[in-house]
Amino acid sequence: MHAWPASEVPALPGQGRDLRIHDTATGGLVTLDPGPVARIYVCGITPYDATHLGHAATYNAFDLVQRVWLDTKRQVHYVQNVTDVDDPLLERAERDGVDWVALAEKETALFREDMTALRMLPPQHYIGAVEAIPGIVPLVERLREIGAAYELEGDIYFSVESDPHFGQVSNLDAAAMRLLSAERGGDPDRPGKKNPLDPMLWMAAREGEPSWDGGTLGRGRPGWHIECVAIALDHLGMGFDVQGGGSDLAFPHHEMGASHAQVLTGEFPMAKAYVHAGMVALHGEKMSKSKGNLVFVSKLRRDGVDPAAIRLALLSHHYRADWEWTDQVLQDAVARLARWRSAVSRPDGPPAGTLVEEIREALSNDLDAPAALAAVDRWAARQEQDGGTDTGAPGVVTRAVDALLGVAL
Ligand code: 5CA
Ligand code: ZN
């Protein structure tokens, strides 16, 4: 699949900083030390509805990760998937009487537009589940060969007990895992499984549902976790720097994916850090397509909201926090954008060297975007009150806010 166009990332004076970030697996901050090419996999959308503010907040977090790395003069190798065949997508298409392929294409196209408008850097490899099937089948066959997978009424399951490291991404107890498995696409109550948590790798063809040739697996379609593993291993290999997504992906998705990859390769860990963004809520509940309590990025854009203001609204919360979307959050962002634009529109201003360092410091410290915004606010307030004589300053601030925060002033 094609991704979306990249916005230019201006180079900044001085030295970027290494990223310290919270890793769910260890439960603490880790200082990442990627080589000259940093490698990141971020789980993509299941395209059965438009991009909402929760999605956008999560992609914003991982966009910041890349901007910090780019500022250290590293290259970034970024891979993202699109879950373009899965139960929720097929169910929505059925409900609305539309073709599931057309639905996925339409919502993926809208996602690209939203990401472009929000100045999110595109992945180098943007891969759909369907196009990944030829790479998924041999992995499932291999898992079966080595005894890590088994068949149940034609479906193929992964045996979580085959991975000695199973449980080390999310660190949950058995009861919590079972509960989340049932909530998030698993089938812990299906009789005949070796372990209730075992996830499906390959689902045998069902009447009226799409299916593909699975070689020795028979016709069917891939499970959710193996999809991301196949794409990540194909384009990044083991031991990549960051596996990213919202906190609802820590278990089972990232836990199972890590297990699949570790058993397949015999290497550990799949990712050096598992990074999870908090959940955005609306009216007190997590924004989710299944509940329908959504604010769409595309709707706000259609209503004439500047995408830079949407981005500032996302940045005004720490990525790990759960937070609530309200009209006030957006109004504050619109007002802040106006203040910043006015401040950089003057021919000169207070020196900006310290500000660039403050933004770098804030972001390198577990992506503390609110602290970065506060630093820009202070510069804008000084500009407003006293002005300054540094003719380069407004340009430096504009470039820093663009390069490090993805906001075009
Ligand atoms: N296709 C899979 C990942 S392989 C999937 O989870 N798709 S999704 O469309 O449901 O979610 C896409 C991303 O948005 C995931 O990282 C998910 O954790 C995140 N996300 C979903 N809802 C919210 C929310 N309310 N707040 C923050 N992030 C969210
Ligand atoms: Zn995924």
Side-chain angles (χ1 to χ4, degrees), residues 50-366:
T51 320
H52 60 63
L53 268 313
H55 300 135
T58 289
Y59 295 110
N60 178 54
F62 298 101
D63 190 72
L64 295 181
V65 169
Q66 294 175 66
R67 289 174 184 277
V68 172
W69 280 337
L70 290 172
D71 188 39
T72 61
K73 309 283 184 277
R74 288 182 172 94
Q75 284 176 23
V76 179
H77 194 167
Y78 174 25
V79 179
Q80 189 181 129
N81 68 307
V82 186
T83 307
D84 58 1
V85 61
D86 202 4
D87 293 342
L89 173 71
L90 298 176
E91 282 159 17
R92 176 63 60 94
E94 170 88 19
R95 189 198 78 176
D96 294 352
V98 295
D99 175 42
W100 65 274
V101 176
L103 175 62
E105 278 174 3
K106 179 179 132 215
E107 298 303 352
T108 305
L110 189 57
F111 177 72
R112 290 190 188 99
E113 278 177 27
D114 289 337
M115 292 295 105
T116 309
L118 293 173
R119 292 172 88 78
M120 304 282 182
L121 297 169
Q124 282 82 38
H125 298 279
Y126 191 46
I127 313 286
V130 172
E131 61 184 328
I133 289 173
I136 293 172
V137 170
L139 297 189
V140 179
E141 288 178 324
R142 173 95 191 114
L143 285 169
R144 204 148 68 142
E145 270 160 36
I146 61 178
Y150 61 94
E151 185 179 333
L152 180 60
E153 296 159 329
D155 300 327
I156 313 288
Y157 280 89
F158 175 74
S159 176
V160 294
E161 274 142 34
S162 62
D163 177 23
H165 298 286
F166 176 72
Q168 292 187 15
V169 171
S170 59
N171 296 300
L172 298 170
D173 62 32
M177 286 201 238
R178 195 177 165 129
L179 213 70
L180 289 176
S181 163
E183 271 175 29
R184 298 176 180 165
D187 55 2
D189 298 322
R190 180 170 179 180
K193 290 171 68 175
K194 288 189 183 164
N195 182 311
L197 300 175
D198 291 346
M200 214 183 268
L201 291 164
W202 187 257
M203 181 194 269
R206 306 287 202 260
E207 184 68 38
E209 287 190 359
S211 63
W212 290 264
D213 179 14
T216 61
L217 310 172
R219 284 196 76 79
R221 62 180 161 100
W224 173 28
H225 320 304
I226 193 70
E227 164 195 342
C228 285
V229 170
I231 297 169
L233 292 185
D234 189 17
H235 295 283
L236 297 174
M238 282 298 274
F240 54 90
D241 296 288
V242 167
Q243 160 76 300
S247 57
D248 58 346
L249 296 190
F251 192 89
H253 188 50
H254 290 168
E255 187 76 66
M256 297 300 178
S259 271
H260 294 352
Q262 285 152 195
V263 171
L264 275 164
T265 63
E267 292 171 42
F268 175 85
M270 179 181 77
K272 291 181 190 143
Y274 294 87
V275 179
H276 293 112
M279 289 291 115
V280 180
L282 181 73
H283 307 139
E285 268 200 283
K286 174 194 159 186
M287 231 182 241
S288 82
K289 287 178 280 205
S290 50
K291 288 198 205 94
N293 57 336
L294 307 170
V295 178
F296 295 122
V297 173
S298 44
K299 169 79 168 57
L300 292 178
R301 292 199 288 120
R302 269 202 313 277
D303 291 348
V305 178
D306 190 323
I310 303 175
R311 181 112 190 197
L312 274 183
L314 305 175
L315 289 162
S316 67
H317 299 84
H318 191 273
Y319 82 97
R320 274 206 284 141
D322 294 330
W323 55 280
E324 170 99 12
W325 178 267
T326 61
D327 289 344
Q328 191 62 46
V329 168
L330 184 58
Q331 279 167 31
D332 290 348
V334 168
R336 176 178 261 140
L337 184 63
R339 284 198 308 274
W340 288 13
R341 282 192 172 147
S342 153
V344 297
S345 68
R346 300 207 202 157
D348 48 22
T354 324
L355 170 60
V356 176
E357 292 315 312
E358 283 172 338
I359 301 175
R360 281 182 166 140
E361 172 63 26
L363 292 183
S364 70
N365 179 22
D366 200 21

